[in-house]
Amino acid sequence: MSYLVSPVGGKNINASTEQMYIRIFVLGFCSIREINIEDLEEGPVLNGERPECLLTGNRRRSQSGGADVKKAGEVAGKAAPPEQSNISGKLRKKKKKQKNKKNTAGEILENGLEDIDRILERIEDGGGLSRPGPPPLSSKKHVLYVEHRHLNPDTELKRYFGARAVLGEQRPRQRQRVYPKCTWLTTPKSTWPRYTKPGLSMRLLESKRGLSFFAFEHSEEYQQTQHKFLAAVESMEPNNIVVLLQTSPYHVDSLLQLSDACRFQEDQEMARDLVERALYSMECAFHPLFSLTSGTCRLDYRRPENRSFYLALYKQMSFLEKRGCPRTALEFCKLILSLEPDEDPLCMLLLIDHLALRARNYDYLIRLFQEWEAHRNLSQLPNFAFSVPLAYFLLSQQADLPEQELSSAREQASLLIRQALTMFPGALLPLLEYCSVRPDAAVATHSFFGPDAEISQPPALSQLVSLYLGRSHFLWKEPASVSWLEENVREVLRAVDSGDPAVEACESRRKVLYQRAPRNIHRHVVLSEVKEAVAALPPDVTTQSVMGFDPLPPLDTIYSYVRPERLSPVSHGNTIALFFRSLLPNYTMEGERLEAGGAGGLNHNQGLNRLMLAVRDMMANFHFHDVEAAREDNPEGDGEWD
């Protein structure tokens, strides 16, 4: 068996370690066997499981219970006839069953789940044994490897608050509806509509160079629902989407769009529930070969059917971060990045460092930077340029590391932060302002770090700096971090005054590299909703209508089907469109005016854009009559009413 072989040359491990592994696996299989047997016999149902069937206390109850029954049976057999012994045995079993029920379900769940998590961690980490040789296998996994257990926010919340606090609200539920399959991304709820396949599926396109390329597909019925959804969006009436969800409760784009509407109305719980339902619908459509954890499965963002999965994952990640689960949010971030790491359509590299720091997973951030810096130039992104040295510095503050590692981490942190300050001098004063720190006069008045540094940087760079500072400035508020930053700022000023050639080289690179931000960065800024970064978007982006279910779609979109042209917009248009047509004869809806050589209905945002322009023109031509002036001219009025 592979788990009894050491990673060093395939040699067998020692006898004690082998016995330990055998005990763990035998205990696991025996516990599973007991769970299945007792689950069929007796016990109340809680969250789809019977609490008496958990690991803790299971073996003790079975062993002690069996011994007690055996002794009682022998004594009763000697002192009473068989009928009385059977009756007394049943009474004892009933009393024992009632006695066991006195333990609350929460305590049993808490102890059992903690034991399960502890066993899983011991197996994953190699049993916690310290043996010579290479590092454990877990450290050799792909940098974008996703762990299933970290996709569940309850795992992180139990670590913070305990299993009793997390599972407390689940105790009253005795029986839950049976769903067709177990999922990793979300947990189905009994309040959801009964799941029926909405016509969403996934197929394998090709496999090459160890990668598998997949794509979601819409059936004809789902395509009709999608057309109705686009019409509901154009009507700008959320109630139309609600009506559509009553007939198609697992239509993904409708769930995402309605989630945004609920979030704008401060109904965060409903917004999160709708996103989870969308994720559940898409996970039920996965191809059997599609893996969330391998990091080798790809989804092309240019296909509209795949974008819904990206956006659902991003929205779920945002809810998890706001909920206080940065470790789980980091796992979702890695999952999104692994779907298309080269193109990175949602630009998750602008966020993954923030989540790693919040989760205090400094080693992962450093490893990602070391492995990807050579081919991705991560140091040219302001967020990585400042976050990686901060990770090194925070790592050097940990007391459980050897002194040599602490000093090495501190030196590396100082080296990298000086490079970041030299490359991005315009980020210093805004960062100090966010941290409520007044800069020294020598720093504030210096030409390198002064106000001119922030004004002179290119607009694309200003947008990246604003995004990073608006999102991660609070990570720098620790007094130790501010003092360490101050020391390195003085060192950079000395290098600038001495005429270091690296300063001029960084300045020339800033002018060349940050001419214009690509579309995926704009898409990320729109999704992030960081006010400082959104304000720095260029006008050609801010003037576009951005839909929550498909923000800033790629210009080279691959359409698998097109929206049919509507034949008579005048007779079949919605009320708002007919109203504006009566006011503005030049207003036209989508489908009336086709571009030369283009397919009709491909860009469903054109109708809404024309509608918004028509509204602006109409509001600009409004002239209100001054009622007060008219009353002053004729104070007595025009006479009495007839």
Side-chain angles (χ1 to χ4, degrees), residues 114-333:
E114 289 179 354
D115 286 349
I116 292 174
D117 291 339
R118 201 156 37 240
I119 292 173
L120 290 175
E121 290 178 0
R122 288 170 60 188
I123 293 175
E124 182 177 352
D125 299 336
L129 300 176
S130 57
R131 59 175 181 268
L137 292 176
S138 59
S139 64
K140 294 184 177 180
K141 295 174 182 176
H142 192 271
V143 71
L144 297 180
Y145 177 81
V146 178
E147 299 183 39
H148 275 145
R149 64 191 181 99
H150 287 307
L151 290 174
N152 186 359
D154 290 344
T155 304
E156 186 172 3
L157 292 175
K158 283 189 296 181
R159 191 179 308 144
Y160 298 149
F161 308 108
R164 181 179 300 179
V166 176
L167 300 176
E169 58 183 12
Q170 301 179 10
R171 291 174 188 170
R173 302 175 186 174
Q174 295 297 322
R175 292 185 180 273
Q176 289 187 349
R177 186 177 301 168
V178 179
Y179 284 84
K181 63 181 296 186
C182 177
T183 55
W184 292 105
L185 297 177
T186 184
T187 303
K189 298 180 181 179
S190 59
T191 56
W192 290 355
R194 181 174 295 276
Y195 177 79
T196 56
K197 292 184 178 181
L200 189 66
S201 61
M202 177 186 283
R203 68 185 178 97
L204 176 62
L205 298 178
E206 60 176 345
S207 297
K208 58 181 180 180
R209 297 193 300 271
L211 301 177
S212 300
F213 296 85
F214 295 87
F216 283 97
E217 284 188 331
H218 295 170
S219 65
E220 293 185 2
E221 180 183 359
Y222 197 95
Q223 291 178 20
Q224 297 298 325
T225 306
Q226 187 74 9
H227 299 330
K228 295 178 182 178
F229 164 73
L230 297 177
V233 171
E234 289 178 353
S235 70
M236 295 182 294
E237 180 56 51
N239 290 333
N240 293 339
I241 301 179
V242 175
V243 173
L244 180 61
L245 283 175
Q246 291 177 355
T247 57
S248 303
Y250 286 92
H251 181 254
V252 177
D253 286 342
S254 299
L255 292 169
L256 297 180
Q257 188 72 12
L258 189 59
S259 172
D260 287 341
C262 294
R263 186 166 53 86
F264 293 148
Q265 296 176 1
E266 303 299 331
D267 192 353
Q268 301 293 334
E269 188 66 26
M270 178 59 70
R272 186 177 63 188
D273 186 80
L274 292 171
V275 171
E276 290 179 355
R277 203 201 301 182
L279 279 176
Y280 178 76
S281 177
M282 303 200 79
E283 188 170 1
C284 288
F286 280 176
H287 191 277
L289 298 180
F290 185 80
S291 173
L292 294 172
T293 61
S294 64
T296 59
C297 296
R298 300 289 184 264
L299 285 175
D300 194 346
Y301 191 80
R302 295 176 299 173
R303 297 180 179 271
E305 297 86 352
N306 295 341
R307 294 176 204 160
S308 302
F309 187 56
Y310 279 89
L311 297 173
L313 290 174
Y314 188 94
K315 294 177 186 295
Q316 177 72 352
M317 178 195 64
S318 300
F319 283 125
L320 290 170
E321 183 187 5
K322 295 176 183 177
R323 193 181 174 188
C325 301
R327 182 65 183 86
T328 311
L330 174 62
E331 215 66 20
F332 272 81
C333 184

Side-chain angles (χ1 to χ4, degrees), residues 30-45 48-66 96-97 100 108:
C30 291
S31 302
I32 294 173
R33 180 179 178 83
E34 291 172 5
I35 290 174
N36 292 334
I37 293 175
E38 293 186 12
D39 192 30
L40 296 175
E41 291 179 354
E42 60 186 10
V45 177
E49 297 180 355
R50 291 179 171 82
E52 289 86 358
C53 302
L54 295 174
L55 290 178
T56 303
N58 221 3
R59 295 175 59 83
R60 295 178 182 176
R61 284 199 302 272
S62 62
Q63 293 174 0
S64 61
K96 187 174 183 62
K97 198 181 300 181
N100 290 336
I108 299 174

Side-chain angles (χ1 to χ4, degrees), residues 442 446-448 490-500 503:
H446 199 282
S447 60
F448 188 73
R490 297 187 183 278
E491 292 294 330
V492 172
L493 285 179
R494 294 191 187 98
V496 172
D497 295 337
S498 63
D500 192 342
V503 177

Side-chain angles (χ1 to χ4, degrees), residues 506-549:
C506 290
E507 183 178 359
S508 59
R509 269 187 296 173
R510 283 196 301 270
K511 296 179 181 179
V512 174
L513 295 177
Y514 305 100
Q515 295 294 330
R516 177 176 174 81
R519 194 172 180 85
N520 61 339
I521 291 182
H522 294 159
R523 190 180 298 119
H524 177 90
V525 171
V526 170
L527 290 173
S528 68
E529 298 181 355
V530 177
K531 296 180 180 179
E532 297 81 1
V534 173
L537 285 171
D540 60 335
V541 177
T542 55
T543 54
Q544 298 183 28
S545 60
V546 179
M547 299 297 178
F549 66 93

